[in-house]
């Protein structure tokens, strides 16, 4: 959560302002997995290789600033949330420690 965003679990619930997504078939209140499904349906990714971008991930190589050379792995999309208002200064320290452990 370096920039204040944290990844949401697929079963967590989100409520958005009406008419936020005009082109997606999604309710005002939905589970994260429902939004991911609506995006897959909208772009026509169901039953294609691209559908894995939202589930298991797609095979890829990444060149990161923190490592030497290319690293093989997988990439996938996720929904993140950033709460409004001030957070405890300890929250950022805790998150950085958590990232170092992983």
């Amino acid at each position: 959560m370096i920039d204040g965003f944290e990844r949401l679990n697929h079963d967590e619930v989100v409520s958005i302002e009406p008419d936020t997504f005009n082109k997606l078939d999604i309710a005002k209140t939905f589970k994260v997995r429902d939004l991911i499904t609506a995006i897959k349906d909208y772009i026509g990714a169901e039953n294609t290789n691209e559908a894995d971008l939202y589930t298991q991930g797609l095979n890829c190589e990444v060149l990161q600033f923190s490592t030497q050379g290319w690293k093989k792995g997988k990439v996938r999309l996720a929904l993140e949330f950033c709460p409004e208002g001030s957070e405890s200064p300890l929250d950022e320290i805790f998150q950085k420690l958590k990232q170092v452990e992983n």
Side-chain angles (χ1 to χ4, degrees):
M1 193 166 88
I2 294 171
D3 59 357
F5 282 86
E6 58 190 62
R7 186 174 174 186
L8 295 176
N9 182 291
H10 282 197
D11 288 321
E12 292 181 304
V13 178
V14 176
S15 180
I16 57 173
E17 296 292 323
D19 300 324
T20 299
F21 295 118
N22 294 322
K23 297 187 182 225
L24 297 180
D25 184 21
I26 189 96
K28 178 182 173 269
T29 302
F30 53 86
K31 286 186 177 181
V32 171
R33 78 175 63 254
D34 296 335
L35 177 59
I36 292 170
T37 299
I39 293 169
K40 286 194 300 190
D41 291 345
Y42 179 73
I43 64 170
E46 198 62 43
N47 299 319
T48 67
N49 291 339
E50 290 88 356
D52 289 342
L53 184 60
Y54 307 95
T55 54
Q56 297 95 341
L58 296 174
N59 291 329
C60 70
E61 290 184 87
V62 174
L63 184 59
Q64 296 178 294
F65 295 124
S66 60
T67 62
Q68 296 280 336
W70 290 91
K71 289 172 58 177
K72 290 187 179 194
K74 292 186 179 249
V75 65
R76 70 178 175 187
L77 293 181
L79 190 62
E80 295 181 337
F81 170 73
C82 181
E84 287 184 1
S86 62
E87 295 182 17
S88 165
L90 296 177
D91 287 345
E92 186 175 337
I93 294 169
F94 174 73
Q95 290 299 324
K96 287 182 181 181
L97 289 173
K98 198 169 156 184
Q99 288 177 343
V100 170
E101 290 174 355
N102 295 331

